Amino acid sequence: MTKKSGTAPHLRLPSFDAFASSLDAMTVEALGDDAYYASWFDDSDDAENDDDYVTNADDADDADDGFPDLGLREGLPSETCSASRNSVYVVYEPGDDIKGRRELINRACGVLGTSERDSEALLHFHAWNLEDAVTSWFENERKAREACGLSDPDAQTSEGGMATTTCNICFDDFEPSELVTAGCSHAFCTGCWAGYIASKIGEGLSVVDTRCPMTKCPIKVGEAMMRRFLNEDDAKKFDVYLGRSFVESNVKIQPCTGIDCERSIVFENLPTNPVAVNCTCGKVFCFSCGGDTHHPIPCKVASEWTKKITLDGANSEWMLVNTKPCPKCQRPILKNGGCMHMQCSQCHTSFCWLCSSPWDAGPYACSKRCNQYKRTESNSNENRKKRARESLERYVFYYERYRAHENSGKKALEDVDKFKSSALGFLIELQRTSETQVGFVMKALKQVSSSRQILKWTYAYAYFELADDVRKKNFFEHVQGEMERALELISRMIELDIKAFLPPDPDTEDDEKVALEKAMAYRYPPEEQDKLEKAFEQYKTLLIDRTAVLRKSCDTLCIELENGLLGMSTPIKGSQQDA
Amino acid sequence: MSDQAVLLLRKQLKELSRNPIEGFSAGLVDDCNVFEWSVTIMGPPDTIYEGGFFTAHMTFPKDYPNKPPGVRFVSEMWHPNVYADGRVCISILHSPGDDPHGYEDASERWSPVQTVETIVLSIISMLSDPNDESPANIDAAKEWREDYPAFKKRVARCVRKSVDDM
């Protein structure tokens, strides 16, 4: 795998600071500029529309100053994400979270006519969900205030007549004007407030929810008041905590899972289905579960599968032969002594090694008394072994296909980069044409890569979800098979057929540099030029058609999976019968 | 910040020597160090600790009152919420910290309005009413729950010892 793969973006980045400063100009626009929005797949069936979702990636590429792709990477699996056709998201650069937070507070102020302080507390309490905040406020303002630590406005007005002149922390006496409250009746001097708030900063993220220092007083200290008592360094930390808390509690925002990446992904409208998102650092991940993208199958199935393959992996065979699942928690158990009484080290369930039924502590024996031979199907050792073998074979079947598509998908992703760096240039030169005229190969490559990514997950889905429903399984395999055929046709075209239009493969003796020079100097024989140009035109038409077909069958498969394969009763069923 | 701690601790010491609170007496371990206190707590009446005079040391941090002191019994003590080494484990001696739900029971956590007096009163209330849910001394908690007579006996020994040590 080359460094260019999406899984190791950090390797390609210079220091984050240098990177961020180079992006300053972009950062400023980040929240307002439409160009910054990454809109997913268009609804149209027109295969030529792909460029719609290539965003500022290209701008960044053009000004190639040694920095890697800063914008959205092309050719990533998520691009054919039919689930998220209308989902629009934006990438927050570090610091944008604070701006986004402020924006939301201002919006709440506008809607509710509340002060910034009230809006902030209310939104914080409702995990930055404006709708929830507004609803609770209009339903019962008093209750909403109480819940989020705001004082009763009526009580606030009586604050002027504060009786006490003693600070409740240092017990020194002050003029009433020197004492400050958080909006309740508990007055403290400015020195004690500063000490209190500085010590809260040291406590970490919880500083964003600082309350009045008085025991049992629920009143929240507003942001403005916090800032009043913070020194410059602490104010910076406070900003970081505010941003982090905003990102962490807001379901519409997910921090990027890329290593060392401090950006976050923000949706205006929360997508209903799991959505693969693509951070500017190159990381692609599932917005819903934070794991690697697994479109089009649900997060739960994907995580079960990932768990299974990492847990089982190469050991699955050995595990099947040597371990048994705990009857309660299903963790694999290895027998480590001679006694048949097993106890799961994780959930402490006691069971009999021979028949997996609960262990009877009293007589210290298996509760089923499994020494007594009963002639039943399930007791037959032969049957059990057969079932285990079948189950293993079934798993291996799906696993092999999952792995194969994963590897091919990775290779296709590398091919995109490789093609871009060499073959693309040769083609333009040899075919005497322009970059836009050969862009269709890139599109096909990208489609292959994303289709393989999708295919790989469909095998995980089939393993878990389609074991029992034969009708669904047949239907699914039909749709999946259609897509696979379309995919292999294209794969062949872009891996083998295209060679007819490229410089011949380098001699094995040549070193890299010589080979490259030779390839660059290569021209079609003059008598072949016309013929090859014509053939390339045909190749182009065919590949564009096939890419569109693949994309369509890919979409069909995704939509079917998202709808739980209910499409069996829709017109697609007709096509199944036709086939 | 440390100046504030010194001033505040001195003030509390003066106040406590002028108006002693029933149930305990307080002083410094070493007269030059206002951050180390020694308090003697009388076992609360009508409890198995009655009659005992338990000495505990309170160690205040430099950023008191924004951070809680540590309290450790130097007299032998047998109680579910007191570690074997004498450290007292009650919620008001803990900062809310990073606990995201810290504010749900904020009333129980440390806050700068707590004083020596309120801390000692909390310890006295802990003696009469152990908190079984988060025991610091598991053995003591188990005995308190399962073998109360033995627990009582052990406490009685502590009470006697504390009087002998006076």
Side-chain angles (χ1 to χ4, degrees):
Chain A
M1 198 163 58
T2 68
K3 278 183 179 179
K4 282 207 161 189
S5 108
T7 50
H10 58 292
L11 292 175
R12 308 168 56 216
L13 294 178
S15 88
F16 184 78
D17 286 342
F19 174 47
S21 64
S22 81
L23 269 175
D24 265 0
M26 266 163 71
T27 311
V28 176
E29 300 170 4
L31 289 168
D33 192 347
D34 279 349
Y36 206 78
Y37 282 82
S39 156
W40 284 120
F41 219 62
D42 50 296
D43 261 317
S44 135
D45 286 326
D46 183 357
E48 294 301 303
N49 268 355
D50 297 29
D51 283 337
D52 289 358
Y53 55 86
V54 177
T55 60
N56 57 349
D58 288 351
D59 308 338
D61 281 353
D62 292 344
D64 199 354
D65 50 2
F67 285 116
D69 275 4
L70 297 178
L72 294 172
R73 284 172 56 81
E74 300 166 51
L76 287 158
S78 45
E79 276 174 7
T80 31
C81 196
S82 60
S84 43
R85 260 162 293 176
N86 297 316
S87 304
V88 173
Y89 67 82
V90 35
V91 180
Y92 272 180
E93 292 296 322
D96 284 348
D97 41 11
I98 281 289
K99 291 182 217 157
R101 181 180 180 276
R102 178 112 328 261
E103 208 175 73
L104 201 57
I105 292 174
N106 289 340
R107 258 159 74 185
C109 292
V111 176
L112 300 169
T114 46
S115 68
E116 267 188 33
R117 194 221 140 142
D118 291 357
S119 308
E120 180 218 341
L122 191 66
L123 283 168
H124 177 92
F125 180 75
H126 290 284
W128 300 94
N129 183 326
L130 186 59
E131 293 80 35
D132 286 359
V134 170
T135 313
S136 82
W137 189 263
F138 285 131
E139 255 172 20
N140 188 338
E141 185 182 322
R142 183 178 289 262
K143 230 164 126 185
R145 278 179 173 281
E146 206 180 299
C148 61
L150 287 171
S151 50
D152 203 312
D154 304 332
Q156 233 168 350
T157 49
S158 67
E159 192 194 308
M162 208 158 48
T164 169
T165 52
T166 306
C167 166
N168 278 305
I169 292 177
C170 65
F171 300 104
D172 284 335
D173 289 331
F174 292 90
E175 290 295 315
S177 61
E178 291 173 294
L179 292 172
V180 183
T181 75
C184 47
S185 57
H186 308 119
F188 307 95
C189 71
T190 51
C192 286
W193 267 115
Y196 176 67
I197 288 171
S199 92
K200 284 284 155 192
I201 288 279
E203 279 172 20
L205 199 54
S206 65
V207 69
V208 302
D209 201 24
T210 298
R211 309 287 172 122
C212 164
M214 182 54 84
T215 340
K216 295 186 189 181
C217 178
I219 296 303
K220 192 176 154 118
V221 183
E223 190 186 324
M225 173 135 164
M226 294 291 286
R227 289 190 191 284
R228 181 177 155 194
F229 292 109
L230 286 171
N231 64 32
E232 207 176 307
D233 281 352
D234 284 349
K236 273 185 204 147
K237 285 187 202 159
F238 186 56
D239 276 339
V240 171
Y241 286 133
L242 283 181
R244 227 170 80 193
S245 142
F246 176 65
V247 168
E248 281 178 16
S249 56
N250 191 333
V251 289
K252 288 181 184 171
I253 310 182
Q254 285 290 344
C256 173
T257 55
I259 298 167
D260 286 344
C261 181
E262 294 181 34
R263 300 176 189 80
S264 18
I265 307 290
V266 187
F267 275 90
E268 179 60 25
N269 296 305
L270 201 60
T272 43
N273 286 313
V275 173
V277 290
N278 185 352
C279 180
T280 28
C281 74
K283 178 81 184 173
V284 183
F285 61 99
C286 171
F287 186 80
S288 315
C289 67
D292 283 344
T293 168
H294 53 76
H295 181 72
I297 70 168
C299 301
K300 208 177 137 244
V301 180
S303 92
E304 254 176 75
W305 175 258
T306 312
K307 213 161 65 194
K308 186 167 177 62
I309 63 172
T310 43
L311 187 76
D312 296 3
N315 293 326
S316 63
E317 207 161 337
W318 184 90
M319 301 258 281
L320 261 164
V321 176
N322 293 288
T323 70
K324 283 184 182 181
C326 162
K328 192 172 169 212
C329 69
Q330 307 302 323
R331 284 187 180 86
I333 310 266
L334 174 66
K335 192 158 146 53
N336 62 352
C339 168
M340 293 300 164
H341 173 205
M342 304 300 292
Q343 190 173 36
C344 174
S345 61
Q346 301 300 312
C347 72
H348 308 295
T349 301
S350 281
F351 63 97
C352 165
W353 175 253
L354 292 174
C355 69
S356 295
S357 50
W359 191 259
D360 210 334
Y364 204 70
C366 163
S367 62
K368 284 260 173 69
R369 306 290 184 267
C370 71
N371 61 322
Q372 302 162 5
Y373 179 71
K374 292 185 193 94
R375 201 192 163 86
T376 60
E377 284 274 303
S378 61
N379 236 349
S380 142
N381 213 21
E382 214 31 58
N383 258 336
R384 217 181 36 131
K385 273 193 186 149
K386 199 174 143 214
R387 271 208 315 277
R389 203 169 43 241
E390 274 170 10
S391 139
L392 177 64
E393 275 168 9
R394 182 167 178 274
Y395 169 65
V396 169
F397 174 89
Y398 287 107
Y399 180 73
E400 273 175 1
R401 278 152 187 78
Y402 170 87
R403 220 14 123 202
H405 283 296
E406 178 172 75
N407 291 337
S408 300
K410 272 184 196 155
K411 173 138 188 320
L413 204 58
E414 287 169 25
D415 284 349
V416 175
D417 288 334
K418 240 191 321 199
F419 183 82
K420 212 168 157 187
S421 63
S422 59
L424 186 70
F426 298 145
L427 268 182
I428 295 170
E429 204 57 50
L430 291 168
Q431 291 287 334
R432 299 185 296 195
T433 180
S434 66
E435 186 165 345
T436 47
Q437 289 300 304
V438 291
F440 70 95
V441 187
M442 290 287 286
K443 275 175 202 161
L445 271 166
K446 284 191 255 169
Q447 186 63 50
V448 166
S449 149
S450 60
S451 304
R452 292 219 187 269
Q453 169 80 10
I454 286 169
L455 259 181
K456 130 185 155 174
W457 285 112
T458 63
Y459 281 104
Y461 181 87
Y463 178 78
F464 283 115
E465 306 287 307
L466 299 173
D468 310 319
D469 194 331
V470 179
R471 244 181 102 233
K472 269 193 182 177
K473 179 170 165 284
N474 288 342
F475 174 67
F476 164 79
E477 283 172 354
H478 168 77
V479 182
Q480 190 194 39
E482 289 287 294
M483 178 176 158
E484 246 172 50
R485 266 191 297 285
L487 178 58
E488 297 311 331
L489 279 174
I490 295 189
S491 282
R492 191 197 139 86
M493 284 186 78
I494 50 181
E495 273 169 37
L496 299 176
D497 299 355
I498 198 168
K499 288 193 174 165
F501 310 106
L502 289 172
D505 284 339
D507 288 337
T508 39
E509 301 99 74
D510 289 345
D511 70 14
E512 234 174 87
K513 209 176 142 198
V514 177
L516 185 69
E517 273 168 14
K518 274 191 184 170
M520 275 163 70
Y522 174 81
R523 291 291 175 274
Y524 295 146
E527 67 276 13
E528 303 259 308
Q529 180 81 37
D530 279 353
K531 203 179 109 198
L532 280 169
E533 279 181 22
K534 257 188 207 140
F536 188 67
E537 271 309 308
Q538 282 170 0
Y539 174 83
K540 178 178 176 179
T541 318
L542 188 59
L543 189 57
I544 287 176
D545 279 354
R546 286 188 173 166
T547 308
V549 170
L550 174 59
R551 215 177 94 176
K552 206 159 184 182
S553 57
C554 199
D555 263 1
T556 310
L557 184 60
C558 291
I559 292 168
E560 285 305 334
L561 285 182
E562 278 156 19
N563 298 333
L565 295 170
L566 297 173
M568 284 185 293
S569 50
T570 65
I572 296 170
K573 193 183 173 187
S575 75
Q576 183 194 7
Q577 283 161 349
D578 293 342
Chain B
M1 214 185 274
S2 151
D3 289 348
Q4 190 200 7
V6 173
L7 288 175
L8 185 52
L9 287 168
R10 285 228 181 91
K11 186 186 263 177
Q12 290 186 35
L13 187 64
K14 208 159 100 189
E15 180 65 28
L16 282 170
S17 53
R18 205 181 300 155
N19 304 311
I21 310 280
E22 201 181 323
F24 74 94
S25 63
L28 297 181
V29 175
D30 167 359
D31 278 342
C32 330
N33 183 3
V34 77
F35 290 99
E36 286 281 340
W37 287 47
S38 173
V39 291
T40 301
I41 298 172
M42 278 174 262
D46 304 322
T47 70
I48 52 174
Y49 296 93
E50 183 172 5
F53 294 90
F54 303 100
T55 306
H57 284 181
M58 298 173 92
T59 311
F60 291 89
K62 295 277 178 262
D63 47 0
Y64 176 81
N66 289 309
K67 287 280 146 56
V71 181
R72 196 167 69 84
F73 276 104
V74 286
S75 307
E76 194 180 313
M77 177 51 81
W78 187 243
H79 188 281
N81 305 114
V82 178
Y83 286 100
D85 67 357
R87 273 179 301 131
V88 176
C89 178
I90 50 175
S91 58
I92 69 153
L93 294 178
H94 293 289
S95 308
D98 267 329
D99 182 1
H101 305 294
Y103 279 108
E104 282 176 17
D105 55 1
S107 55
E108 300 182 322
R109 294 305 178 104
W110 177 258
S111 135
V113 298
Q114 306 282 5
T115 61
V116 173
E117 183 185 332
T118 61
I119 296 165
V120 174
L121 291 178
S122 293
I123 295 173
I124 292 175
S125 118
M126 170 200 88
L127 288 179
S128 33
D129 189 13
N131 175 7
D132 190 23
E133 273 163 34
S134 58
N137 186 335
I138 313 244
D139 297 329
K142 208 169 158 215
E143 198 176 73
W144 181 74
R145 221 173 12 225
E146 291 168 8
D147 189 0
Y148 192 67
F151 180 84
K152 225 164 118 179
K153 213 182 251 172
R154 184 134 182 198
V155 171
R157 265 208 304 278
C158 292
V159 170
R160 210 164 41 239
K161 198 153 180 286
S162 77
V163 176
D164 292 348
D165 289 349
M166 283 299 282

